[in-house]
Amino acid sequence: ILGTYINDCLGPNDSRHSSDEAVAIGETMDGRAVVRNISSHVVQSSEELSTLVERAKSLRSTAATEKNATSSRSHGIGIITCTDRKTNIEGSLYVIDLAGSERSYRRSKLTLLMKDVFDAGCTRLCSTVVLATCSPLASD
């Protein structure tokens, strides 16, 4: 996600689609967040998952900053969905890399995508764990 532009880094080679095919995040009438025109990939091993992650990382928007020659300029989001083979219960893991020191705002596409995480009234069981890397320098 770069501003309001959403790119599927694992989609077809031509990531610039017509408005009918563009990736979009929205809400259903009952308030659930939905994503349209996003690719989905089934993997059977950690190696296959790693290959997809590397491909997506290579297509993220980057630019030089004062501290980093290839700083991320876009938020990176990976949604890993797993199903317990015994109970058939499905769960999702959202892995999010926020770009640089940019902030997420209440009405951003990123916040809408993560609505279940922030919504205390969500009917689905949801847990949140935040891992952060913070510089110990006061100048950062």
PDB file of all heavy atoms in Angstrom, residues 80-96:
ATOM      1  N   ILE A  80      -1.490 -14.692   5.794  1.00  0.00           N
ATOM      2  CA  ILE A  80      -1.286 -16.135   5.729  1.00  0.00           C
ATOM      3  C   ILE A  80      -2.490 -16.797   6.378  1.00  0.00           C
ATOM      4  O   ILE A  80      -2.778 -16.551   7.549  1.00  0.00           O
ATOM      5  CB  ILE A  80       0.017 -16.539   6.446  1.00  0.00           C
ATOM      6  CG1 ILE A  80       1.208 -15.817   5.809  1.00  0.00           C
ATOM      7  CG2 ILE A  80       0.184 -18.055   6.417  1.00  0.00           C
ATOM      8  CD1 ILE A  80       2.498 -15.962   6.571  1.00  0.00           C
ATOM      9  N   THR A  81      -3.199 -17.592   5.603  1.00  0.00           N
ATOM     10  CA  THR A  81      -4.387 -18.278   6.100  1.00  0.00           C
ATOM     11  C   THR A  81      -4.070 -19.757   6.240  1.00  0.00           C
ATOM     12  O   THR A  81      -3.569 -20.377   5.298  1.00  0.00           O
ATOM     13  CB  THR A  81      -5.575 -18.071   5.141  1.00  0.00           C
ATOM     14  OG1 THR A  81      -5.787 -16.665   4.983  1.00  0.00           O
ATOM     15  CG2 THR A  81      -6.836 -18.711   5.681  1.00  0.00           C
ATOM     16  N   CYS A  82      -4.340 -20.294   7.414  1.00  0.00           N
ATOM     17  CA  CYS A  82      -4.084 -21.708   7.694  1.00  0.00           C
ATOM     18  C   CYS A  82      -5.379 -22.375   8.144  1.00  0.00           C
ATOM     19  O   CYS A  82      -6.222 -21.740   8.777  1.00  0.00           O
ATOM     20  CB  CYS A  82      -3.049 -21.859   8.812  1.00  0.00           C
ATOM     21  SG  CYS A  82      -1.468 -21.102   8.429  1.00  0.00           S
ATOM     22  N   THR A  83      -5.506 -23.652   7.838  1.00  0.00           N
ATOM     23  CA  THR A  83      -6.669 -24.416   8.266  1.00  0.00           C
ATOM     24  C   THR A  83      -6.200 -25.631   9.042  1.00  0.00           C
ATOM     25  O   THR A  83      -5.339 -26.378   8.572  1.00  0.00           O
ATOM     26  CB  THR A  83      -7.512 -24.865   7.051  1.00  0.00           C
ATOM     27  OG1 THR A  83      -7.880 -23.715   6.290  1.00  0.00           O
ATOM     28  CG2 THR A  83      -8.762 -25.597   7.492  1.00  0.00           C
ATOM     29  N   ASP A  84      -6.753 -25.826  10.241  1.00  0.00           N
ATOM     30  CA  ASP A  84      -6.450 -27.000  11.051  1.00  0.00           C
ATOM     31  C   ASP A  84      -7.092 -28.203  10.366  1.00  0.00           C
ATOM     32  O   ASP A  84      -8.304 -28.237  10.159  1.00  0.00           O
ATOM     33  CB  ASP A  84      -7.014 -26.822  12.463  1.00  0.00           C
ATOM     34  CG  ASP A  84      -6.639 -27.962  13.389  1.00  0.00           C
ATOM     35  OD1 ASP A  84      -6.875 -29.137  13.018  1.00  0.00           O
ATOM     36  OD2 ASP A  84      -6.122 -27.688  14.476  1.00  0.00           O
ATOM     37  N   ARG A  85      -6.300 -29.180   9.986  1.00  0.00           N
ATOM     38  CA  ARG A  85      -6.814 -30.334   9.242  1.00  0.00           C
ATOM     39  C   ARG A  85      -7.772 -31.193  10.058  1.00  0.00           C
ATOM     40  O   ARG A  85      -8.642 -31.846   9.502  1.00  0.00           O
ATOM     41  CB  ARG A  85      -5.650 -31.184   8.736  1.00  0.00           C
ATOM     42  CG  ARG A  85      -4.855 -30.477   7.671  1.00  0.00           C
ATOM     43  CD  ARG A  85      -3.732 -31.320   7.162  1.00  0.00           C
ATOM     44  NE  ARG A  85      -2.967 -30.580   6.171  1.00  0.00           N
ATOM     45  CZ  ARG A  85      -1.775 -30.931   5.773  1.00  0.00           C
ATOM     46  NH1 ARG A  85      -1.199 -32.007   6.245  1.00  0.00           N
ATOM     47  NH2 ARG A  85      -1.159 -30.210   4.873  1.00  0.00           N
ATOM     48  N   LYS A  86      -7.634 -31.183  11.371  1.00  0.00           N
ATOM     49  CA  LYS A  86      -8.510 -32.005  12.219  1.00  0.00           C
ATOM     50  C   LYS A  86      -9.858 -31.340  12.460  1.00  0.00           C
ATOM     51  O   LYS A  86     -10.895 -31.984  12.401  1.00  0.00           O
ATOM     52  CB  LYS A  86      -7.834 -32.299  13.556  1.00  0.00           C
ATOM     53  CG  LYS A  86      -6.629 -33.207  13.441  1.00  0.00           C
ATOM     54  CD  LYS A  86      -6.002 -33.454  14.790  1.00  0.00           C
ATOM     55  CE  LYS A  86      -4.755 -34.284  14.641  1.00  0.00           C
ATOM     56  NZ  LYS A  86      -4.058 -34.452  15.911  1.00  0.00           N
ATOM     57  N   THR A  87      -9.852 -30.032  12.741  1.00  0.00           N
ATOM     58  CA  THR A  87     -11.094 -29.346  13.102  1.00  0.00           C
ATOM     59  C   THR A  87     -11.680 -28.525  11.952  1.00  0.00           C
ATOM     60  O   THR A  87     -12.806 -28.072  12.022  1.00  0.00           O
ATOM     61  CB  THR A  87     -10.841 -28.383  14.277  1.00  0.00           C
ATOM     62  OG1 THR A  87      -9.920 -27.363  13.840  1.00  0.00           O
ATOM     63  CG2 THR A  87     -10.305 -29.117  15.476  1.00  0.00           C
ATOM     64  N   ASN A  88     -10.879 -28.324  10.885  1.00  0.00           N
ATOM     65  CA  ASN A  88     -11.270 -27.504   9.748  1.00  0.00           C
ATOM     66  C   ASN A  88     -11.490 -26.033  10.134  1.00  0.00           C
ATOM     67  O   ASN A  88     -12.157 -25.287   9.429  1.00  0.00           O
ATOM     68  CB  ASN A  88     -12.511 -28.067   9.048  1.00  0.00           C
ATOM     69  CG  ASN A  88     -12.485 -27.776   7.567  1.00  0.00           C
ATOM     70  OD1 ASN A  88     -11.426 -27.644   6.964  1.00  0.00           O
ATOM     71  ND2 ASN A  88     -13.660 -27.656   6.980  1.00  0.00           N
ATOM     72  N   ILE A  89     -10.936 -25.614  11.287  1.00  0.00           N
ATOM     73  CA  ILE A  89     -11.018 -24.219  11.711  1.00  0.00           C
ATOM     74  C   ILE A  89      -9.925 -23.430  11.001  1.00  0.00           C
ATOM     75  O   ILE A  89      -8.768 -23.847  10.949  1.00  0.00           O
ATOM     76  CB  ILE A  89     -10.879 -24.088  13.244  1.00  0.00           C
ATOM     77  CG1 ILE A  89     -12.071 -24.756  13.926  1.00  0.00           C
ATOM     78  CG2 ILE A  89     -10.759 -22.626  13.653  1.00  0.00           C
ATOM     79  CD1 ILE A  89     -11.955 -24.812  15.440  1.00  0.00           C
ATOM     80  N   GLU A  90     -10.321 -22.281  10.461  1.00  0.00           N
ATOM     81  CA  GLU A  90      -9.404 -21.440   9.696  1.00  0.00           C
ATOM     82  C   GLU A  90      -8.959 -20.240  10.526  1.00  0.00           C
ATOM     83  O   GLU A  90      -9.738 -19.695  11.301  1.00  0.00           O
ATOM     84  CB  GLU A  90     -10.110 -20.961   8.431  1.00  0.00           C
ATOM     85  CG  GLU A  90      -9.229 -20.221   7.474  1.00  0.00           C
ATOM     86  CD  GLU A  90      -9.971 -19.837   6.205  1.00  0.00           C
ATOM     87  OE1 GLU A  90     -10.037 -20.665   5.288  1.00  0.00           O
ATOM     88  OE2 GLU A  90     -10.490 -18.699   6.164  1.00  0.00           O
ATOM     89  N   GLY A  91      -7.709 -19.858  10.369  1.00  0.00           N
ATOM     90  CA  GLY A  91      -7.181 -18.672  11.039  1.00  0.00           C
ATOM     91  C   GLY A  91      -6.304 -17.887  10.086  1.00  0.00           C
ATOM     92  O   GLY A  91      -5.768 -18.436   9.126  1.00  0.00           O
ATOM     93  N   SER A  92      -6.164 -16.609  10.335  1.00  0.00           N
ATOM     94  CA  SER A  92      -5.347 -15.755   9.479  1.00  0.00           C
ATOM     95  C   SER A  92      -4.289 -15.045  10.302  1.00  0.00           C
ATOM     96  O   SER A  92      -4.550 -14.594  11.416  1.00  0.00           O
ATOM     97  CB  SER A  92      -6.210 -14.701   8.776  1.00  0.00           C
ATOM     98  OG  SER A  92      -7.124 -15.306   7.909  1.00  0.00           O
ATOM     99  N   LEU A  93      -3.102 -14.961   9.742  1.00  0.00           N
ATOM    100  CA  LEU A  93      -1.992 -14.233  10.339  1.00  0.00           C
ATOM    101  C   LEU A  93      -1.662 -13.079   9.403  1.00  0.00           C
ATOM    102  O   LEU A  93      -1.372 -13.284   8.223  1.00  0.00           O
ATOM    103  CB  LEU A  93      -0.771 -15.146  10.502  1.00  0.00           C
ATOM    104  CG  LEU A  93       0.532 -14.477  10.937  1.00  0.00           C
ATOM    105  CD1 LEU A  93       0.393 -13.919  12.357  1.00  0.00           C
ATOM    106  CD2 LEU A  93       1.688 -15.463  10.848  1.00  0.00           C
ATOM    107  N   TYR A  94      -1.762 -11.847   9.911  1.00  0.00           N
ATOM    108  CA  TYR A  94      -1.416 -10.660   9.142  1.00  0.00           C
ATOM    109  C   TYR A  94       0.014 -10.292   9.499  1.00  0.00           C
ATOM    110  O   TYR A  94       0.311  -9.994  10.653  1.00  0.00           O
ATOM    111  CB  TYR A  94      -2.331  -9.493   9.511  1.00  0.00           C
ATOM    112  CG  TYR A  94      -3.752  -9.631   9.028  1.00  0.00           C
ATOM    113  CD1 TYR A  94      -4.601 -10.593   9.540  1.00  0.00           C
ATOM    114  CD2 TYR A  94      -4.257  -8.767   8.057  1.00  0.00           C
ATOM    115  CE1 TYR A  94      -5.911 -10.713   9.096  1.00  0.00           C
ATOM    116  CE2 TYR A  94      -5.553  -8.877   7.612  1.00  0.00           C
ATOM    117  CZ  TYR A  94      -6.377  -9.851   8.138  1.00  0.00           C
ATOM    118  OH  TYR A  94      -7.664  -9.961   7.701  1.00  0.00           O
ATOM    119  N   VAL A  95       0.894 -10.285   8.510  1.00  0.00           N
ATOM    120  CA  VAL A  95       2.279  -9.867   8.704  1.00  0.00           C
ATOM    121  C   VAL A  95       2.412  -8.526   8.002  1.00  0.00           C
ATOM    122  O   VAL A  95       2.210  -8.425   6.789  1.00  0.00           O
ATOM    123  CB  VAL A  95       3.262 -10.903   8.110  1.00  0.00           C
ATOM    124  CG1 VAL A  95       4.699 -10.440   8.312  1.00  0.00           C
ATOM    125  CG2 VAL A  95       3.033 -12.274   8.716  1.00  0.00           C
ATOM    126  N   ILE A  96       2.740  -7.482   8.772  1.00  0.00           N
ATOM    127  CA  ILE A  96       2.727  -6.130   8.235  1.00  0.00           C
ATOM    128  C   ILE A  96       4.061  -5.444   8.486  1.00  0.00           C
ATOM    129  O   ILE A  96       4.567  -5.445   9.597  1.00  0.00           O
ATOM    130  CB  ILE A  96       1.586  -5.314   8.880  1.00  0.00           C
ATOM    131  CG1 ILE A  96       0.258  -5.998   8.565  1.00  0.00           C
ATOM    132  CG2 ILE A  96       1.601  -3.871   8.397  1.00  0.00           C
ATOM    133  CD1 ILE A  96      -0.901  -5.479   9.341  1.00  0.00           C
TER     134      ILE A  96
END
